[in-house]
Amino acid sequence: HETLSMIPKFTAAEIPLEDAWRLLANRMIELLECTALSDLGSERTVSPALAYRTAKLYLDMATSFLAFQGSFEAGYRRRAEILNELTIAEHPFASLEMFKRCVKDATLFKVGVHRFFSCNLDAVASAISDAQRLWAWELSKLSGTPGMFPKQAIARKLRGWAYVVRQCGWHRSWRQWPRWAALASRVSPRYAVYRAASGLLVAMSEALKCCEQREVDIVEIRSWLPMVRQKPSDWRTTANEIAWNYHQFLEWTTA
């Protein structure tokens, strides 16, 4: 406790907004991965693992949103309280009040007041929709232009792709060099994986809501991934490819 008390306190204004946006993107990919591994039956029920990932996504949606509002504070309960007290006109959610209720339920589950997080496929679809709206809204705040990623310094992009090369092996990956060079001229590996995940999540949210598979341009989505190990088939294999790229190239680096 004495050691922790020596850590300097920091304000919400000191939190880099891109870090808050990245946190949200990472949670979205983790939910995408869990959804792809789940049995999505006609009963509209979900596994405990998927319910947990949905609750975790709502908690970090609140964290990210409050950081952009300059209202972040430590502690799940405190963040839920601050969110509940917010009265703002500008927000990306279909219903701010519904979002507040979902965050409250996720918080009570996280701190152990509730044993379960009430969740079905409709709730997962709503969570994905809320997260996608928030992610795009935050992205426009960062870049100043809706739908555009923030500009990245060349050195930063190259550092990310250098990590990809090291992970894949310089000599073993030479066939990928032309494609990587083309991607590197546009985005970092992180932004490339985020773009692929965002495209698939939009389609997944709509599919979960209407209980049918929507046509998805899997080839376009997969073209953004640093590495593609399997031939295109369906959204599940594409989701697994996105998750693999996230774990392999993003999870253990800040590049």
Side-chain angles (χ1 to χ4, degrees):
H1 178 73
E2 292 181 1
T3 301
L4 292 176
S5 67
M6 296 173 64
I7 299 174
K9 292 184 178 181
F10 59 91
T11 65
E14 295 177 274
I15 300 173
L17 294 184
E18 186 174 348
D19 286 359
W21 174 72
R22 285 185 178 196
L23 172 69
L24 175 59
N26 295 343
R27 294 297 172 266
M28 290 165 65
I29 292 174
E30 289 171 2
L31 180 64
L32 176 64
E33 178 181 27
C34 190
T35 306
L37 296 174
S38 299
D39 179 18
L40 307 178
S42 58
E43 296 83 5
R44 312 295 288 168
T45 58
V46 301
S47 67
L50 185 52
Y52 174 79
R53 287 293 183 189
T54 305
K56 190 175 180 181
L57 177 61
Y58 268 117
L59 291 172
D60 283 330
M61 272 195 272
T63 297
S64 188
F65 181 58
L66 289 175
F68 271 79
Q69 295 295 320
S71 301
F72 173 86
E73 287 189 24
Y76 292 112
R77 286 181 183 271
R78 183 58 186 143
R79 288 197 289 274
E81 291 170 355
I82 294 171
L83 179 64
N84 191 55
E85 294 166 0
L86 279 181
T87 55
I88 53 176
E90 185 189 5
H91 63 81
F93 307 106
S95 169
L96 181 59
E97 292 306 312
M98 179 63 73
F99 175 68
K100 289 179 179 180
R101 286 197 293 271
C102 290
V103 171
K104 180 181 178 181
D105 290 343
T107 301
L108 293 174
F109 166 70
K110 181 65 177 179
V111 300
V113 175
H114 292 167
R115 290 186 59 193
F116 304 102
F117 179 69
S118 180
C119 189
N120 57 20
L121 279 185
D122 295 317
V124 174
S126 294
I128 292 173
S129 180
D130 274 341
Q132 181 63 29
R133 286 169 177 264
L134 176 58
W135 188 81
W137 181 79
E138 292 179 352
L139 180 58
S140 69
K141 297 289 185 184
L142 289 173
S143 67
T145 306
M148 296 294 292
F149 281 78
K151 291 183 179 180
Q152 292 181 291
I154 294 176
R156 188 175 180 183
K157 288 189 287 188
L158 292 179
R159 184 162 64 92
W161 286 105
Y163 184 84
V164 171
V165 173
R166 288 198 303 271
Q167 289 295 97
C168 294
W170 180 262
H171 297 292
R172 294 194 304 273
S173 62
W174 65 270
R175 290 184 178 86
Q176 299 289 336
W177 293 355
R179 194 171 72 87
W180 288 348
L183 283 171
S185 68
R186 305 169 68 183
V187 292
S188 66
R190 182 173 297 277
Y191 282 11
V193 174
Y194 285 173
R195 179 156 184 167
S198 176
L200 188 58
L201 280 162
V202 170
M204 271 185 54
S205 175
E206 296 182 7
L208 291 174
K209 287 178 180 177
C210 62
C211 305
E212 61 183 32
Q213 294 300 321
R214 174 192 170 195
E215 287 294 324
V216 183
D217 191 348
I218 290 176
V219 174
E220 163 65 17
I221 290 172
R222 292 162 68 100
S223 70
W224 289 97
L225 295 176
M227 285 292 292
V228 177
R229 302 164 302 156
Q230 305 174 40
K231 293 182 179 180
S233 55
D234 59 12
W235 73 268
R236 288 181 185 271
T237 57
T238 301
N240 287 327
E241 290 288 282
I242 291 171
W244 184 87
N245 277 266
Y246 164 70
H247 293 305
Q248 193 75 10
F249 305 127
L250 310 187
E251 194 170 22
W252 304 110
T253 178
T254 59

